[in-house]
Amino acid sequence: PWLVAFSADGETWLEKTAAADSFLIRKNYFTDAEAVAKYETVDLPADAAVTHLAASPDGSLIAAVQNGGVHVVEREGPKVRSTWEVGG
């Protein structure tokens, strides 16, 4: 992966893939041996690459930063909950 982030409890991993506008959500490889093959893909608007990822302490919400905006993604779903435009 190009970029990795973790929830505070270490059980939710966020991995940026080669696709500029998407990332993976998966469980901790070390506590769940099947997690390597199980993941969810989150696709964001294709107008900019994801540059930063952050998770809430329990991994239920994820912030994905793209140039010009922050997307908050609900872990269950996953779906984009809200988007804020930044800069200008």
Side-chain angles (χ1 to χ4, degrees), residues 23-38:
F23 63 92
L24 305 178
I25 304 171
R26 63 170 92 227
K27 292 183 180 180
N28 184 334
Y29 297 161
F30 299 105
T31 59
D32 184 349
E34 297 177 5
V36 174
K38 295 180 182 177

Side-chain angles (χ1 to χ4, degrees), residues 55-74:
S56 63
D58 64 357
S60 64
L61 295 173
I62 297 157
V65 179
Q66 288 181 302
N67 293 338
V70 177
H71 305 280
V72 177
V73 179
E74 290 183 25

Side-chain angles (χ1 to χ4, degrees), residues 3-88:
L3 174 67
V4 178
F6 309 93
S7 62
D9 64 8
E11 292 303 313
T12 302
W13 292 22
L14 310 174
E15 300 178 9
K16 179 70 189 73
T17 63
D21 57 349
S22 67
F23 63 92
L24 305 178
I25 304 171
R26 63 170 92 227
K27 292 183 180 180
N28 184 334
Y29 297 161
F30 299 105
T31 59
D32 184 349
E34 297 177 5
V36 174
K38 295 180 182 177
Y39 59 87
E40 301 168 68
T41 302
V42 178
D43 296 315
L44 298 172
D47 56 351
V50 173
T51 58
H52 296 81
L53 294 169
S56 63
D58 64 357
S60 64
L61 295 173
I62 297 157
V65 179
Q66 288 181 302
N67 293 338
V70 177
H71 305 280
V72 177
V73 179
E74 290 183 25
R75 172 79 167 84
E76 295 299 321
K79 65 179 181 177
V80 175
R81 179 175 173 172
S82 57
T83 300
W84 296 288
E85 290 187 23
V86 180

